[in-house]
Amino acid sequence: MTAPLDIDQLRTFIAIAETGSFTRAAEVVHKTQSAVSMQMKRLEERVERPIFARDGRASKLTEDGERLLDYARRIVKLNAEALAAFSDAELSGCVRLGVPDDYADRYLPEIMARFSRVYPGAELTIFCEPSLDLIARLDASEIDLAIVTSCESYRASEIFRQERLMWVTSNRHSAHLEVPLPLALGRPTCDWRKVAMESLDSVGRSHRLLFSSGNAGAISAAVLAGLAVSVLPTSGLRPGMRALTPAEGFPELPPCRIGLLRNPHNRSRLAEALAGHIISSLDNLSQGHSVAAE
C-alpha cells in the first residue's frame, strides 16, 4: 500500500459514516452518488480492506472501517490546520474559469466545492462557452483558465482526462433505425460533429443533420425526445439514453480528450491553485452522467 490517502476521499468517507447513507453523504459533499461510490471503491483499494458492510439500505462500517474513521477525522482536521497556517490559504482576489456548458453540470460542483473550502476569500467567475470561444478569450486575457475538449490544431492543452466517445440514442425510441439517419450535433466548428459525419461516410451510411446547436442541453433534448442520434463522451450518457454499438452499424469513434489551458500572458498564484484543484477534482469523478462538449 504505497499510494497516499486522498483527503477528499476521506472527507466523503466521514460524511457517509456520519449520515449513514451514500445518498445523503453525496448531498453533504456536493457530489453525485456514483462519484461517492467510486471514491469509496478507490479508498478501499488503497487500504486493501473492505470498509463498508451492507445493512439494509444503511451503510454500516466494518471493524476496519471504524479504525479508518478515527484516522480519517484526524487527518482531515490536521490538513485543514496546515492549510490555514500558510499564506496560500489566504489567497484572495478573482480568478476566471472557462468551461463548455457541456461539462458545467458534471464538473463544476466538485471543482467549486474543493476550491471554496481552501480559498474562502477568492471570487470565482465562470464563463460557459464552446472550447474554441474559450481559447479566444484566453488569447485576449479575458479568462485565466479553460477546461476544453482537446483542440490540438489550435493549441496544445494539458490532457488530464480521457473518455470514450459514443453514439447515443433514446432508449424509448428508434431514431437510430431511420434512413437517412437523423443527427443532432454541435456547430460547424465542433470536432465531434466532423468525426461523426466522417465516420458515417466511411461506412456508407446515409445521414442528415436534423439539429445543430452550440448548446449541450438542446442536443440532449433532441436525443431524449427520440428525434435524432448524437455523439457524447461516456460521462455524457444521461438517464433515458443508451449507447449504440458497431453491431448496430455505428463505427467506433476516437476517444474524447479533455484538457486544461492556462492564460499564456498572465499566470497568477490563484489561477495556478485553481488549476491544481481542477485536476485533482476531476480525478475523483467516476464516469457518470453529463452532456456533450465542443
Side-chain angles (χ1 to χ4, degrees), residues 20-166:
S21 162
F22 276 51
T23 302
R24 291 194 292 273
E27 297 173 354
V28 171
V29 298
H30 307 291
K31 291 180 174 64
T32 63
Q33 189 170 343
S34 60
V36 166
S37 297
M38 179 58 71
Q39 280 195 308
M40 293 305 95
K41 178 182 177 182
R42 291 181 177 177
L43 183 57
E44 286 185 323
E45 289 171 352
R46 291 190 181 185
V47 300
E48 299 177 354
R49 302 284 178 86
I51 56 179
F52 293 103
R54 283 290 178 189
D55 183 15
R57 291 189 176 183
S59 300
K60 183 179 178 181
L61 297 183
T62 63
E63 184 176 341
D64 287 319
E66 293 286 357
R67 290 173 56 205
L68 179 61
L69 181 60
D70 180 55
Y71 286 110
R73 284 173 170 152
R74 284 187 281 163
I75 290 170
V76 168
K77 182 175 183 293
L78 187 59
N79 179 72
E81 291 174 357
L83 289 170
F86 293 92
S87 59
D88 272 0
E90 299 172 4
L91 282 176
S92 61
C94 178
V95 61
R96 303 160 298 177
L97 172 65
V99 186
D101 70 333
D102 333 63
Y103 296 147
D105 288 347
R106 170 68 173 152
Y107 297 154
L108 283 180
E110 173 78 5
I111 293 169
M112 295 170 73
R114 272 195 170 213
F115 188 69
S116 296
R117 279 197 300 265
V118 180
Y119 305 106
E123 175 187 340
L124 181 58
T125 300
I126 307 293
F127 293 79
C128 290
E129 296 174 3
S131 294
L132 291 181
D133 291 352
L134 295 176
I135 290 173
R137 283 192 177 273
L138 278 171
D139 290 337
S141 287
E142 295 175 353
I143 57 177
D144 302 296
L145 296 165
I147 297 172
V148 298
T149 299
S150 183
C151 302
E152 297 295 340
S153 58
Y154 297 91
R155 185 190 297 174
S157 58
E158 179 184 345
I159 305 299
F160 60 87
R161 188 174 177 87
Q162 181 166 295
E163 298 183 11
R164 178 184 166 205
L165 192 61
M166 307 178 301

